[in-house]
Amino acid sequence: MPTGVRRRMGVEERRQQLIGVALDLFSRRSPDEVSIDEIASAAGISRPLVYHYFPGKLSLYEAALKRASEELTARFLEPQEGPLGARLLRVMRRFFDFVEEHGPGFSALMRGGPAVSGDGPRSRDAVSRTNALIDGVRQAAYEQILAHLRIDAPPARLELVIRSWISLAESTALIWLDGGRIPRQELEVQLVHDFAALAAVSAAYDEEMADLLRRMLKDEPTDGPFTDLVGRLVALGAPR
């Protein structure tokens, strides 16, 4: 191919390129602040050509959110080997990597509903589609935790623990993005501690949860995050 001649992209390849460009821009600034002209310029094409592949900014935003949700779901995948505390800590590190990489885009995804208003009124269908994406991420994270606990039919209290913890992780990440007043490494460990703490509180009320907590702690090494939490709690009760 002669130097300087651009290869013509296929329809799907161009669509994927535009989604990637849009996701990158939405990750650095609020989606409402990103224009179609900016997306076109970053992709090296004209504004009308963007509309050839996507009917409007909202549809491109939804496609970018879909890719982001798929990537976020993948961050929760972890081999089911080794102590549970260490596994959860690795997941939290990847989760915060995603949060740090995508910033405003993560905020838009987690807060639900389209953050793009350039195409007219925000329809109920658009809100439903966006909320369905994040619900899918939450469900995938929930199922991953159950798989790590090797439980197929969770009791009600366990479901409450896991779903509460997922919600806590989301809220913690959003607060961290708003100023980063607590180092992310501390928050990653604290969220793993939070999971054990929520399970321990439920264990105080339910023997099935107590058995689960014993299994969680059985293979925990002396330098693991769960052991660290126990040591911190014991230290709090020690006389000064």
Side-chain angles (χ1 to χ4, degrees):
M1 181 179 294
T3 302
V5 177
R6 292 185 179 179
R7 180 178 62 84
R8 184 181 180 87
M9 289 188 181
V11 173
E12 186 57 28
E13 186 179 6
R14 177 66 78 184
R15 279 179 55 86
Q16 293 304 316
Q17 182 219 15
L18 285 170
I19 291 170
V21 167
L23 180 58
D24 179 62
L25 291 172
F26 293 153
S27 295
R28 289 188 270 120
R29 302 211 319 277
S30 171
D32 247 347
E33 298 174 0
V34 178
S35 69
I36 285 290
D37 287 331
E38 286 181 85
I39 295 171
S41 176
I45 62 176
S46 66
R47 175 189 174 96
L49 195 54
V50 175
Y51 285 108
H52 175 74
Y53 293 99
F54 293 92
K57 183 177 167 183
L58 178 58
S59 63
L60 181 52
Y61 170 75
E62 290 178 354
L65 279 189
K66 184 175 186 298
R67 180 180 291 185
S69 69
E70 291 169 349
E71 183 181 338
L72 180 53
T73 297
R75 302 291 176 108
F76 286 94
L77 298 176
E78 173 71 23
Q80 297 174 24
E81 302 169 355
L84 178 63
R87 284 182 256 165
L88 290 179
L89 185 56
R90 287 192 292 270
V91 169
M92 285 298 95
R93 285 171 178 162
R94 290 197 300 273
F95 173 68
F96 271 89
D97 282 344
F98 180 92
V99 172
E100 190 165 22
E101 290 163 13
H102 293 284
F106 172 82
S107 295
L109 179 64
M110 288 300 164
R111 289 189 169 115
V116 172
S117 57
D119 293 325
R122 302 174 184 184
S123 69
R124 291 182 180 179
D125 286 346
V127 173
S128 296
R129 287 193 297 271
T130 304
N131 289 341
L133 288 175
I134 186 55
D135 285 343
V137 174
R138 290 169 179 147
Q139 183 61 25
Y142 172 74
E143 292 173 359
Q144 277 296 308
I145 300 301
L146 284 182
H148 282 284
L149 294 173
R150 293 178 170 79
I151 292 178
D152 297 322
R157 279 195 171 90
L158 178 57
E159 180 172 2
L160 179 61
V161 164
I162 299 175
R163 295 197 185 280
S164 297
W165 182 70
I166 292 170
S167 178
L168 179 61
E170 293 174 16
S171 301
T172 300
L174 288 171
I175 293 171
W176 177 75
L177 277 176
D178 187 20
R181 289 168 290 175
I182 302 175
R184 62 167 275 191
Q185 291 81 6
E186 291 183 19
L187 290 178
E188 291 163 0
V189 175
Q190 182 176 316
L191 281 166
V192 177
H193 288 174
D194 288 333
F195 183 84
L198 287 168
V201 171
S202 286
Y205 292 87
D206 186 277
E207 185 57 35
E208 193 171 6
M209 285 299 300
D211 287 341
L212 174 62
L213 183 64
R214 294 185 191 102
R215 285 198 286 113
M216 285 171 50
L217 298 176
K218 179 182 177 182
D219 298 322
E220 181 72 0
T222 56
D223 60 346
F226 292 164
T227 304
D228 178 48
L229 173 61
V230 173
R232 289 173 183 268
L233 294 175
V234 170
L236 283 176
R240 290 184 177 274

